[in-house]
Each structure stands twice: as C-alpha cells, then as structure tokens.
Amino acid sequence: MRGLVIGLAGIGLSMTYSILNFANFAHGDYITAGAFSGWATTYIIAGGFGSAANIGSLALVGAGGSVFGGALGINAIQTPLAVFAGLVVSGVFTIALALAIDKFIYKPIRGSGGIPLLITSVGVAFALRYVIQFMFDSGTRGTTNTGSLPGIRPNVIDGTVAITAHDVLLIVVAGGLMLGVHILLQRTKLGKAMRAMSDDEALARITGIATERVIRSTWIIGGGLTGVSGFMFVLWKGTLSWNDGWLLLLLIFAAVILGGIGSVYGAIAGGLVIGLTASTAVIWIPSGFARAAAFGVMILVLVVRPQGIFAGRSTA
C-alpha cells in the first residue's frame, strides 16, 4: 500500500523531471496541500448534517482538536460521498495550485536552466509547508473511523494479513490511475507529444509540437495524481499532519531514481520496491531505520544497474 502511494506520487515528479528538466522539491508539499484540501471537503460534507461542529472547525480539518474524523464516522463505507468528494477536490485543487505556481513562479525563470528552477522549488516548498502549518496548525489529527471499517484477515504462510476496505480502495484508485497514464502515453496524441518532448525538446519544437500545451498538461496530470496520492495516503493510514508530504518526498525521490530518472514506469516500479522495503524492514531492524533500509536497497540496485530499473526509457 505504501509503495502504491509512493509510485503514484512519483509519476508526477518523474514527468516534471523528464519534460521540464528539473527536480521539483515542492512536490512533497503539493501532496500535503492536496491532502488538506481534500480532507477539508470530506470533513465539511461528513460533518455538515447533524454535527455539533461548526463549519470553521470542519474546514480546518479539526485544528486544535476541535473535531475528530472518528467522531464524524468518516470512512469509505459510512461516508462514501464525503470520501469521493474529497478525492476529487484533492486532485482538482492540486492541479490549480501547480498551474498557478508554474505560471507566476516557474515560467518566468524557465529559460535559466534546471538549477535556478530547483533552488526556486525549494523556496516554494518551504513557503507552502509553513502556510499549511499556519492555517491548519502543527498537530497530527486522526481522520477516519477505522473501528467500523470492514475487512478480512486471510491466512498467509504462518500468519494473517489484515486487508481493509481502504486497502482495496487504494489498490483500485492507484491501479486505475496508473493504467490511465499508460494508455495516455501510449495511445493518445498528447502522450506521443509528451514522449517526443521528453526525448528532445528542441526537435519537438521544430516539428510543430505545442510545447506550452505539453508543459501545461504535464502539470495537470502530475498535479492531479499528486493530490489524489496525498488524499489516499491519509485515508489509508488514518492520520493527517502538516509535514506528511515532506516526509514522503525523500522516499519518492529514491523511487524515481531507483526506477530510472524520467521514466514513469520506473517511478511506479521504484515506488513499489521502496515502499515494500521500508515497510518490511521493521521485521528485522528497529522502525527508526526503515528509511535507511529503503535507501540501502536503492544504492545496491544502482550499483548493479546505475541508470535504474527502467534505464533508457524516458516517460514511456
């Protein structure tokens, strides 16, 4: 499950790198912004009928412990409309945020090269992170009611594995979106234009490809996937904090590098490897070293295959 979230978020980062040629360090905070916008919507809809909480507390996702997702009974089974609306809003809001930041911040300096864009994205990341902290406070809040969430515990080898409705929903949403990206890249004119621009931007311009349209589409697709990944990550783990995206960012970078920088399929594969490693490493080592184990696996793979798992396959 963690690998699916990392892989889904990694698609946007990989597309940004391959088509716009810079590593967007604000990507993690796009995840957080999408998560908060989506969960504000979910809280408002779930708590808008018969709840004692006021609209301000709901819009701030229970800042300061003013209202709790568990008390509102939020989960994919009890409040499906609220969850679906939050999922849609998280994607739409992150798209709007990514387009606005590109228009007013990245576009004016796009011709300066990758390094100025990278440094600028670090500034954007800090600005977004602390605006979110200022608006929603720094507390971690529980967002879902997992007590009444249906699930099964099938026997696997020498134990059981818990599978809940949220696990299934994450698999369906992430898998469906990944399949959609594959179809878009391989079967549509826009996908071909994206692949052409990723291979050689100058040649793409000469052949008449509308590069600005491709760039705008990249932010739309990447932003939508990133916002949805943030919302689904919170639905799956059941808690929300102002620095969730920042904590995921290094793992996402590791996944993108492991899979092969610029490869969408590499980001998906790398996300699964990194997520599985970080989650299963705690069987043998203290949980505080789980991230180190994930990066250790990345290093081992890159020693054998320096260009990543999907070396030489940019975007497609």
Side-chain angles (χ1 to χ4, degrees):
M1 300 302 106
R2 190 183 302 275
L4 283 174
V5 171
I6 293 171
L8 189 61
I11 293 174
L13 184 64
S14 186
M15 291 178 72
T16 303
Y17 184 89
S18 63
I19 293 173
L20 302 181
N21 239 358
F22 85 101
N24 183 16
F25 271 81
H27 193 77
D29 298 284
Y30 288 2
I31 294 173
T32 310
F36 270 98
S37 65
W39 280 97
T41 303
T42 299
Y43 267 52
I44 290 170
I45 294 175
F49 305 99
S51 171
N54 61 58
I55 191 70
S57 297
L58 295 170
L60 293 175
V61 200
S66 53
V67 63
F68 298 95
L72 296 175
I74 295 174
N75 64 45
I77 303 301
Q78 287 181 280
T79 57
L81 177 61
V83 169
F84 177 75
L87 184 67
V88 172
V89 169
S90 65
V92 172
F93 178 84
T94 311
I95 289 171
L97 177 67
L99 288 173
I101 290 174
D102 179 61
K103 181 177 180 179
F104 296 108
I105 299 176
Y106 294 149
K107 187 176 180 179
I109 61 171
R110 202 179 287 156
S112 303
I115 299 301
L117 282 167
L118 185 151
I119 299 301
T120 302
S121 74
V122 173
V124 171
F126 278 106
L128 283 175
R129 196 172 313 145
Y130 289 106
V131 165
I132 290 170
Q133 183 189 25
F134 177 77
M135 288 181 62
F136 295 97
D137 87 30
S138 59
T140 299
R141 63 271 274 163
T143 54
T144 55
N145 176 19
T146 57
S148 60
L149 193 65
I152 58 174
R153 298 190 67 94
N155 290 313
V156 179
I157 308 176
D158 61 347
T160 61
V161 175
I163 302 173
T164 70
H166 288 172
D167 295 328
V168 175
L169 183 61
L170 175 55
I171 292 171
V172 170
V173 171
L177 289 174
M178 288 173 180
L179 178 61
V181 170
H182 166 72
I183 293 171
L184 176 110
L185 290 173
Q186 299 294 339
R187 302 292 177 85
T188 67
K189 289 180 67 176
L190 175 60
K192 292 177 182 177
M194 285 180 164
R195 287 186 283 142
M197 191 168 169
S198 173
D199 289 337
D200 192 323
E201 182 179 351
L203 183 59
R205 290 180 187 274
I206 292 171
T207 55
I209 290 175
T211 54
E212 279 301 318
R213 176 172 171 264
V214 172
I215 290 171
R216 187 166 58 252
S217 299
T218 299
W219 286 119
I220 291 172
I221 296 167
L225 295 177
T226 301
V228 168
S229 71
F231 183 88
M232 291 304 302
F233 183 54
V234 173
L235 181 69
W236 171 68
K237 71 188 181 79
T239 60
L240 173 63
S241 181
W242 66 284
N243 62 350
D244 277 346
W246 168 245
L247 295 176
L248 271 180
L249 183 63
L250 290 180
L251 292 177
I252 294 169
F253 267 111
V256 170
I257 294 169
L258 176 63
I261 295 178
S263 170
V264 167
Y265 304 129
I268 296 170
L272 291 172
V273 172
I274 292 296
L276 284 167
T277 303
S279 296
T280 58
V282 297
I283 297 172
W284 301 283
I285 62 176
S287 59
F289 294 95
R291 288 172 179 269
F295 284 102
V297 167
M298 180 194 74
I299 292 169
L300 288 174
V301 172
L302 292 179
V303 167
V304 178
R305 193 174 177 83
Q307 299 304 315
I309 298 172
F310 280 70
R313 301 197 66 188
S314 61
T315 303

